[in-house]
Amino acid sequence: MRHSKIGSVMTSDVVSARYGTPFKEVARLLDTHRISGLPVIDADDKVIGVVSETDLLVREAEAPDPEQPPRRFRLRRKHPVARKDRSKATARTAGQLMSRPPVCVHSGKSIAEGARRMAQHRVERLPVIDDEDRLVGIVTRRDLLQVFLRPDDGIRHEVIEQVLVQALWLAPRAIDVHVRDGVVTLDGQVERRSEVPIALHMTREIDGVVAVVDKLTYRVDDSHLQPSDQALRGVADEWLRKL
């Protein structure tokens, strides 16, 4: 099955900075382009870090306050995060401000994989890199959400073609496929019980699907058969092994 790739929704015209880009220039870039963060790249266009508005605010918040006692008379904080913040208090360049290692995604990865990476690392954007790990774009949460604007008719057509016809070798109308607001309902009877999880799994993987409602029944219960049995030969078995 073909899924939309990160490269199809990313922004190719990337605003980036170098390690030595001055603090004020970084702030100007964020303000001018109305963005909340940017990647930092080296001489080979490889991403070495990311600077966000938060990094700039930490720098300002950690800067010495003339109304406070000198830091040597104040209680030292030893928490790793505190030490990291203090190191940014005197940062003058993007390289000193940036957070690293950067969380990136390859342009050939699926939109679902990009969404998972964002959720796992709690970031709002991902630098997109090519096979040589060079920066080629950037993708944001808003970009990834575009897949859920896909019309229901398009989703239904793909379920029928990719799941029913090509994977399960069924006639296009063998199963009733209803889609409303991205929720797919599969209603009907398949030949074998083992085909039910395949149909559900493949449908969930289709771009734009929010959820799948299972109303499938089966004619033959093949759950007791061994994978080597002739009855289980075919394209469906490949999907069973992947589940």
Side-chain angles (χ1 to χ4, degrees):
M1 295 175 64
R2 294 178 298 176
H3 300 286
S4 297
K5 306 300 182 183
I6 291 293
S8 68
V9 296
M10 72 181 187
T11 299
S12 299
D13 187 14
V14 190
V15 179
S16 61
R18 301 283 181 175
Y19 188 95
T21 301
F23 175 93
K24 285 194 174 183
E25 176 62 12
V26 173
R28 187 192 68 78
L29 288 171
L30 296 179
D31 180 63
T32 300
H33 296 278
R34 297 184 179 182
I35 53 179
S36 58
L38 51 79
V40 182
I41 56 177
D42 63 14
D44 293 323
D45 290 336
K46 294 185 177 181
V47 183
I48 56 177
V50 175
V51 175
S52 68
E53 290 175 328
T54 302
D55 294 320
L56 271 69
L57 291 174
V58 167
R59 193 272 190 200
E60 290 302 293
E62 289 292 321
D65 185 343
E67 297 184 4
Q68 292 291 330
R71 190 174 292 274
R72 64 177 180 273
F73 294 120
R74 291 157 61 189
L75 181 63
R76 292 185 177 182
R77 295 173 296 175
K78 298 189 177 183
H79 191 279
V81 175
R83 289 198 298 269
K84 182 178 178 181
D85 288 349
R86 285 202 303 274
S87 70
K88 294 185 179 183
T90 57
R92 298 182 180 180
T93 67
Q96 295 169 335
L97 277 169
M98 68 185 184
S99 298
R100 54 184 173 183
V103 181
C104 302
V105 64
H106 281 86
S107 59
K109 292 294 186 181
S110 69
I111 288 178
E113 173 62 21
R116 279 193 290 269
R117 294 205 64 128
M118 280 190 182
Q120 289 170 356
H121 296 276
R122 298 181 180 180
V123 294
E124 297 181 357
R125 73 199 64 78
L126 292 172
V128 183
I129 54 180
D130 61 16
D131 292 337
E132 297 180 346
D133 293 338
R134 290 189 171 89
L135 180 68
V136 294
I138 197 160
V139 66
T140 66
R141 289 180 179 178
R142 182 180 295 274
D143 296 327
L144 299 186
L145 287 174
Q146 294 302 309
V147 70
F148 292 107
L149 299 179
R150 188 179 183 191
D152 290 341
D153 287 344
I155 296 174
R156 180 177 183 275
H157 176 75
E158 188 168 347
V159 171
I160 293 173
E161 291 299 315
Q162 298 288 333
V163 180
L164 302 187
V165 176
Q166 295 186 27
L168 299 179
W169 297 349
L170 298 174
R173 298 188 180 183
I175 301 295
D176 290 329
V177 180
H178 303 282
V179 185
R180 182 172 182 179
D181 295 331
V183 178
V184 180
T185 300
L186 301 179
D187 190 355
Q189 185 180 72
V190 295
E191 180 67 15
R192 301 176 298 179
R193 181 177 182 176
S194 60
E195 294 173 339
V196 174
I198 296 169
L200 299 177
H201 175 81
M202 293 186 69
T203 300
R204 291 190 190 99
E205 290 295 302
I206 288 177
D207 292 330
V209 172
V210 175
V212 180
V213 178
D214 175 18
K215 293 186 177 181
L216 294 174
T217 60
Y218 49 86
R219 193 178 69 84
V220 177
D221 185 354
D222 59 350
S223 59
H224 62 285
L225 300 178
Q226 297 298 317
S228 59
D229 291 347
Q230 290 294 327
L232 284 177
R233 303 283 184 182
V235 67
D237 308 302
E238 280 299 313
W239 278 95
L240 278 176
R241 285 191 285 271
K242 295 177 181 178
L243 294 180

